[in-house]
Amino acid sequence: MTGTGALVRLILRRDRVIMPLWGLILAVLPISQTTGIAKLYTTDQALRQFAAAFAGPALEALYGPVTHWNAAALGVWRAGFTPVLLGLASLLTVIRHTRVEEEAGRRELLGSTVLGRHAGLSAALIVTASANLVVALIIMVSFTKQGYPASGAIATGLGYAMVGMVFAAVGAVAAQLTESAGGARAIALSVLGGTYLLRMAGDSTGASGLSWLSPISWGQKLRPFAGEVWWPLALSLAVLVVLSSVAYVLAGRRDVAAGLLPPRLGPARAAPGFASPLALAWRLHRGALLGWSAGFILFGLVIGGAAKTAADAMAENRQLMEMMARLGGTTNVADVFIAGVLSIFGIGASGYAVQAALRMRTEETLMRAEPILAVAVSRAGWMASHLVFALLGPVVVLVVLGLAVGVAYGAGADDLAGQLPRVLGATLAQLPAVWSLAALAVALFGLLPRLVAGAWAALAVFLLFGQVGALLDLPQALLDLSPFSHLPKLPGGEVTASPLLALTAIAAALVAAGLYGFRRRDVG
């Protein structure tokens, strides 16, 4: 463990912007949802009706079961996807500061100094666990300051923190298995996705045994603000200890920069189809593109199936309809719900776009870009091969999302031919905003490569605006900073070409700036 403290300080310095940002955003979502629900439903009868209306299989698959009708319990339920995001941030943070460091060669360099073998893993777990506990503390304080019971606030905060820490340990185990960071992420994300599917299946079908297999549901089993049950914390703690111990044991049985799973060796000579930058880019991006597409298909089917149930619940509350109309922009209840959800998935598609754009920075820092550029490959051609996936990849992801939502909703409404093209068009209307964020990442890569994390920071801020801006009545001038606030509210809203063209032009200018900057600066 020698040197763990120094590495903790290094991680805190490197993540001094992005870690507080994602922690704060995820911490305020539960109280924001609670505040919004309390404003919209001011009587016990209204809250009971709201809880009863939303207690259906489709929405429980998304958020989990409704445990009580009070505003705090409903707010925590409505923020039910937040623990998934916390687990995602936690596992990615651990992998970033363990396997990525080894892949880049920095871990071996540090290991030549006075540094213990497990210092890197320990530092990553300590920082990530501390960040989750800070999130828990913010949640506790925010609820108690609003006058809600302390027991429910503690249950909410600890439930969220334990989910994050369990998946931090999942990331730690995955980091020991493969010699590539991409492989470690794939393993950890598969576990996260699989446990979420178990939670969905268990809560939507009544098969509670399935949901108990998912760490994501253990925080919900604490029943915050609904007669707290504390023993599931012991289950989370036990799994955390086991997974962390496994990670340390595995780390001690491998060499630095190696993985326990043997790498799959390719042929000695590449096939003719791989003799281009675009073919290499496809090889690098295909896993992420296929994974995001599969996830969007799944969620699209769930959202489409839940549209009618949500519409029936929303139609009885005028204030809720007005709030959702700010997201959805139409008076048709189902259209309001679909448009509001599509705006959130537009942010999700932006996450893929930013990830794909910043793959260039990963290749550069791992010193894999320079050998390619040393042969007859231009900088513009190399960047263009990655831009294909940063700009056209979101098209694929949004198309499959639109098809899934349109098919599920159209089939449920007995109007597949009419609803499918409407929903697909509404989904593709998110593209100019998605391209704007991808282009921002490209511009930062070309002009200010040390600040590429700013693209993730912008994405997090826009997510915050989209989730709680309407609920908290934030000034419109502030909300207008997000490109998503300038999109038409589809399906059902009016389409104006000028904001779409303006966003596309901004994206093109940012991409051009990134290309110009990369051609002018040094590689590495």
Side-chain angles (χ1 to χ4, degrees):
M1 298 294 182
T2 303
T4 300
L7 289 183
V8 166
R9 293 191 294 273
L10 177 61
I11 293 173
L12 291 175
R13 178 175 176 79
R14 293 179 62 189
D15 288 359
R16 63 187 180 275
V17 175
I18 193 65
M19 184 176 289
L21 191 59
W22 67 252
L24 179 62
I25 289 173
L26 296 179
V28 302
L29 284 178
I31 189 62
S32 299
Q33 295 290 345
T34 299
T35 302
I37 289 173
K39 287 182 178 179
L40 295 170
Y41 298 89
T42 56
T43 66
D44 289 350
Q45 181 181 0
L47 287 169
R48 289 177 184 272
Q49 290 175 347
F50 175 85
F54 278 90
L59 290 174
E60 288 185 352
L62 278 177
Y63 303 120
V66 178
T67 57
H68 201 274
W69 52 265
N70 66 72
L74 290 172
V76 174
W77 168 80
R78 181 59 181 81
F81 200 69
T82 307
V84 181
L85 298 177
L86 194 58
L88 174 64
S90 298
L91 68 87
L92 291 178
T93 299
V94 170
I95 293 174
R96 163 177 156 81
H97 293 291
T98 53
R99 175 52 62 182
V100 170
E101 293 298 290
E102 293 188 42
E103 189 176 11
R106 291 188 290 266
R107 174 64 181 85
E108 188 172 9
L109 182 64
L110 290 173
S112 63
T113 64
V114 183
L115 192 70
R117 180 175 183 85
H118 297 307
L121 177 59
S122 299
L125 288 174
I126 289 171
V127 171
T128 308
S130 299
N132 279 284
L133 291 175
V134 170
V135 170
L137 181 61
I138 295 173
I139 291 173
M140 295 175 195
V141 172
S142 64
F143 273 102
T144 54
K145 289 282 285 185
Q146 294 292 327
Y148 293 104
S151 59
I154 293 172
T156 304
L158 290 181
Y160 278 39
M162 291 307 298
V163 171
M165 287 190 281
V166 166
F167 282 102
V170 170
V173 173
Q176 315 309 315
L177 299 179
T178 69
E179 65 178 23
S180 71
R185 292 190 195 99
I187 293 172
L189 290 174
S190 297
V191 174
L192 178 65
T195 55
Y196 185 73
L197 289 177
L198 286 173
R199 207 273 309 149
M200 287 178 64
D203 291 338
S204 61
T205 63
S208 60
L210 290 177
S211 62
W212 277 108
L213 296 176
S214 171
I216 297 171
S217 72
W218 297 341
Q220 297 171 336
K221 302 296 185 184
L222 296 176
R223 296 178 58 85
F225 304 105
E228 290 74 22
V229 178
W230 298 102
W231 70 264
L233 284 175
L235 182 60
S236 298
L237 184 61
V239 172
L240 172 61
V241 171
V242 170
L243 289 176
S244 300
S245 301
V246 169
Y248 278 105
V249 171
L250 296 180
R253 295 188 176 183
R254 65 177 182 85
D255 293 332
V256 175
L260 291 174
L261 299 178
R264 186 178 63 178
L265 300 179
R269 297 182 63 86
F274 285 99
S276 70
L278 182 59
L280 176 60
W282 162 247
R283 182 86 172 186
L284 295 173
H285 288 273
R286 64 183 181 183
L289 179 59
L290 295 175
W292 279 85
S293 298
F296 270 45
I297 290 173
L298 173 64
F299 285 111
L301 292 172
V302 175
I303 292 296
K308 188 176 186 305
T309 301
D312 293 342
M314 290 163 52
E316 299 180 3
N317 187 282
R318 182 182 59 84
Q319 289 179 297
L320 179 61
M321 281 295 299
E322 292 176 354
M323 183 272 292
M324 287 298 292
R326 292 181 62 181
L327 292 174
T330 178
T331 57
N332 182 286
V333 183
D335 284 351
V336 167
F337 174 76
I338 293 174
V341 172
L342 288 182
S343 67
I344 298 173
F345 276 95
I347 294 282
S350 299
Y352 164 76
V354 171
Q355 179 189 31
L358 295 185
R359 181 69 197 218
M360 294 183 288
R361 181 59 178 168
T362 300
E363 294 299 297
E364 182 183 14
T365 55
L366 294 179
M367 296 182 288
R368 293 198 289 250
E370 193 169 1
I372 296 173
L373 296 173
V375 297
V377 175
S378 67
R379 293 192 180 199
W382 180 77
M383 279 192 72
S385 67
H386 289 277
L387 289 176
V388 168
F389 296 93
L391 299 177
L392 298 185
V395 178
V396 175
V397 170
L398 288 174
V399 164
V400 299
L401 172 68
L403 291 174
V405 176
V407 167
Y409 175 57
D414 294 326
D415 186 20
L416 181 59
Q419 296 301 329
L420 179 57
R422 293 179 72 245
V423 174
L424 181 58
T427 308
L428 292 177
Q430 304 291 320
L431 274 174
V434 174
W435 283 337
S436 297
L437 275 166
L440 174 62
V442 173
L444 290 173
F445 166 73
L447 298 171
L448 301 168
R450 293 171 61 91
L451 301 181
V452 291
W456 290 115
L459 178 64
V461 171
F462 298 155
L463 173 64
L464 179 65
F465 288 171
Q467 284 289 285
V468 303
L471 289 172
L472 301 181
D473 293 324
L474 294 179
Q476 189 61 43
L478 186 62
L479 298 178
D480 284 343
L481 294 176
S482 169
F484 293 92
S485 68
H486 302 283
L487 298 178
K489 310 303 183 182
L490 299 175
E494 296 183 359
V495 179
T496 303
S498 55
L500 300 179
L501 295 175
L503 288 173
T504 304
I506 291 172
L510 289 172
V511 169
L515 285 166
Y516 175 82
F518 184 62
R519 293 180 64 184
R520 294 284 180 172
R521 68 174 178 85
D522 293 332
V523 177

